[in-house]
Amino acid sequence: MKELLILGAGTSGTMMSNSLRKALPQEKWNISIVDVEDTHYYQPGFLFLPFDIYTPKQLKRNIDAFIPKGVHLIQNKIDRIDKDQNTVILQDGVNIRYDILIIATGCHIAPEEIEGMQGPRWHKTIFDFYTFDGAKNLRDKLRDWEGGKLVVHISEMPIKCPVAPLEFAFLCDSYFSNKNMRDQVEITYVTPMSGAFTKPVATKELSYLLEQKNIKIVPDFNIEKVDTDNSKIIDYGGQEVAYDLLVTVPTNMGDEMTLRSGFGDELNYVPTNKFTLQSKVKENIFVIGDATDLPASKAGSVAHFQSDTLTENIQLYIAGKPLKESFDGHSNCFIETGNGKALLIDFNYDQEPVKGTFPIPGIGPLKLLKESRINHFGKLAFKWIYWNMLITGKPIPFVSSRMKLAGKEISNNDD
Amino acid sequence: MNEKTLAGYCIRCNDQGYLTDLEQWNKEVASEIAQEEGISMTDKHWEVIDYLQDQCRKEVAITIRKVGKSGVVNIKEFYQLFPKGPLKTASKIAGIPKPVSCI
C-alpha cells in the first residue's frame, strides 16, 4: 500500500482528506491525517463572536466530524518531518512513513513576538480576536466596557484574513452605535501599511467608509513594543498611540514544526511553488492554505480554490506526469461594513479587486466592491456553506477555482 | 500608467511614483528618487536597495521583519536610513512595487 499523509486537520487539511479520498483508490492508497486538536473551529466566525452576533456553540464541531470514512485520523502533536527518510516523527516518538506528504498546518498568532504584548494585561486590556478564547474574552470585555480609546491594530503582514481587522473596526462602529455609546468611543485603526486600503481601485471606492464611520487611521506604524504601564503602543520610528482597549492582530506565524524540520522561512512558512503548490523542499511534499509562503491571501476561500489545483496535481504526480500550474492566487472575501451590510471582493495574483457582479457575470446577485445587504446575507450564509459543502469537498455552484474576468470592470491600469 | 523623466531617463511608473518595470532602474534614477524623498544615498543605503531588489526578483514577499533579519541592517538602522515608512520609501528607490495588502 502507498501512504498519503496530511499534516493538520483544519480547513485545508480536512478539505484535502475529503477530495483525495474520493480521487484515490482505497485499495492502493491509505490516507492519514494528523492533528493534536479536538475541535474544528469556524474561524470566520471569530470576527462576529465579540459582538454577540454568533454564539460560541455555532463555531465549534468535533474535529473528526468532517474526516471521511477511509481516512485515518491520528490525534497527536507533530514533532518534525524527516524529508530525507520520507517520515513524520510525532511527539510521542512514533514514526509515520509516507509516499506523499501534504502540509496543511496553517498559521497562528504569536503575541510573544512583540515585547510587552503577552504580559499581565493580555486578555484584560489587550485582546486578539484570532483565537476562540481571544474572541470570547473580548466579547465579555465589550459587553460592559464603558468606552474610551479603542485601538484596532495590525502588528505586521502577512496575516490570516487581511481584511478582518478593518471589518472589526467597522463592526465596532455599529456595535457601539447600537448601544447608544458611539460618542464615548474613539476608534483608531493602526496599520503597518500605507493606509487601510492600498490598492488603487479599492482606495478610490472604499475610502469613504472610514470617514463615514469616524475611524481614525494611523498608517506606516511598525510596532516595536507595547508599553503596558502607560497603555500605549510604540513603533520603531518613535510614534506612539495611546489606548484604553487594544485589539491587536499579533504577528502571524506558521507551525514551529517547519522550524524543527529545518525548512521554514523566518515566519515558519513553507517555501512553495505559487502555481503548482508543490513545496520547494522536496518533490513529494505539497503545501496548502495558510502554511505556504505564497503571495496570496491567507484565507479559507484561497485554500478552497487551492484544493482543486492540489487534488489534480497529486494525481498527476502519482501518474508521473507534469504538474499543472493552475493556481492563479484567486481569493474571494466578504467584508462586513457594519449595519447589516457587506462588500465582496474577488481577485488573484495579477488582478486587483474591482467592481462587477458575482458569481454569475452580469447578473450577480452579489455585487463586487460595493456595499449591499445581500452581500451581508452572503457572508452569513457562508457559515452554512462552510460546514455543509466547503470542508467536505463539495463544489460550490457557479464559483470556479480560477478567477473569472467576465462581469468585472477591468481597466488597463496595470499598477 | 505614467511616464516620468528622471536623471534624463524616461521611466514608466504608477500614480504614486513607483517604477512599474525594474529593468528601467539604474543608480542615477534611484538617486533622483531618493533626493525627492529627502535622502542622500550612502553605501549602506545601496546595500539595502540591493537586498530588496534581490528579494523582489526571487518573488519573495518583503516585510520589515525580513529586512531586520537579513543581516544587512536591523530594523532600527533601517528606520535611520529611510525615516518615515522605511519599507515604502526604500521600495520606491529600489524600483520595486510598494508593499500592498489585498484591498
Side-chain angles (χ1 to χ4, degrees), chain A residues 81-87 98 282 285:
Chain A
I81 299 162
D82 183 341
K83 64 181 168 50
D84 300 323
Q85 299 294 325
N86 299 319
T87 298
Y98 60 81
K282 202 177 172 190
I285 301 179

Side-chain angles (χ1 to χ4, degrees), chain A residues 28-203:
Chain A
K28 280 190 185 155
W29 282 91
N30 279 329
I31 301 178
S32 305
I33 186 165
V34 187
D35 202 305
V36 72
E37 299 293 329
D38 297 318
T39 307
H40 186 121
Y41 291 104
Y42 176 61
Q43 296 179 69
F46 292 169
L47 171 69
F48 295 104
L49 184 55
F51 305 105
D52 274 313
I53 298 171
Y54 285 151
T55 62
K57 214 177 142 194
Q58 289 176 298
L59 309 182
K60 295 161 82 165
R61 297 284 189 278
N62 284 335
I63 200 154
D64 59 3
F66 307 99
I67 307 295
K69 276 190 189 133
V71 171
H72 178 46
L73 172 66
I74 301 164
Q75 283 190 283
N76 207 317
K77 196 169 155 57
I78 303 152
D79 180 41
R80 66 185 191 277
I81 299 162
D82 183 341
K83 64 181 168 50
D84 300 323
Q85 299 294 325
N86 299 319
T87 298
V88 166
I89 297 125
L90 301 179
Q91 198 182 37
D92 60 8
V94 170
N95 289 4
I96 312 175
R97 193 195 61 78
Y98 60 81
D99 295 286
I100 295 175
L101 183 69
I102 298 175
I103 301 176
T105 40
C107 68
H108 62 274
I109 58 162
E112 68 278 6
E113 290 289 311
I114 310 289
E115 185 189 333
M117 192 174 273
Q118 205 180 28
R121 304 309 297 160
W122 183 247
H123 290 185
K124 301 280 192 298
T125 52
I126 306 170
F127 291 85
D128 75 284
F129 66 96
Y130 271 50
T131 58
F132 179 76
D133 287 344
K136 192 161 163 287
N137 290 336
L138 181 54
R139 176 197 69 177
D140 297 343
K141 176 78 180 182
L142 291 181
R143 277 177 179 173
D144 40 49
W145 190 51
E146 287 170 353
K149 293 189 186 77
L150 170 63
V151 172
V152 181
H153 166 251
I154 301 171
S155 296
E156 63 180 306
M157 301 302 282
I159 57 169
K160 195 190 295 241
C161 193
V163 292
L166 198 55
E167 295 179 276
F168 187 87
F170 292 155
L171 287 171
C172 282
D173 171 66
S174 43
Y175 178 80
F176 292 116
S177 298
N178 291 338
K179 286 177 85 168
N180 291 319
M181 54 179 288
R182 181 64 183 87
D183 55 347
Q184 290 155 53
V185 180
E186 185 187 310
I187 305 175
T188 307
Y189 185 78
V190 182
T191 169
M193 308 304 289
S194 57
F197 305 104
T198 58
K199 295 280 174 83
V201 179
T203 305

Side-chain angles (χ1 to χ4, degrees), chain A residues 286-344:
Chain A
F286 294 80
V287 200
I288 182 169
D290 297 348
T292 73
D293 72 341
L294 300 192
S297 290
K298 296 193 181 299
S301 70
V302 176
H304 170 68
F305 299 136
Q306 287 175 339
S307 71
D308 286 346
T309 293
L310 190 52
T311 303
E312 192 175 9
N313 275 346
I314 296 245
Q315 294 174 83
L316 289 168
Y317 176 78
I318 291 170
K321 292 180 181 162
L323 305 185
K324 277 199 181 161
E325 297 192 333
S326 57
F327 182 61
D328 64 353
H330 189 193
S331 178
N332 181 276
C333 310
F334 289 102
I335 304 174
E336 279 294 298
T337 52
N339 303 315
K341 288 185 185 172
L343 296 157
L344 179 65

Side-chain angles (χ1 to χ4, degrees), chain A residues 209-225:
Chain A
L209 286 165
L210 299 159
E211 204 173 320
Q212 183 192 70
K213 296 173 193 302
N214 194 18
I215 296 168
K216 211 176 108 194
I217 296 282
V218 178
D220 299 317
F221 189 99
N222 288 291
I223 190 166
E224 183 181 10
K225 59 185 172 191

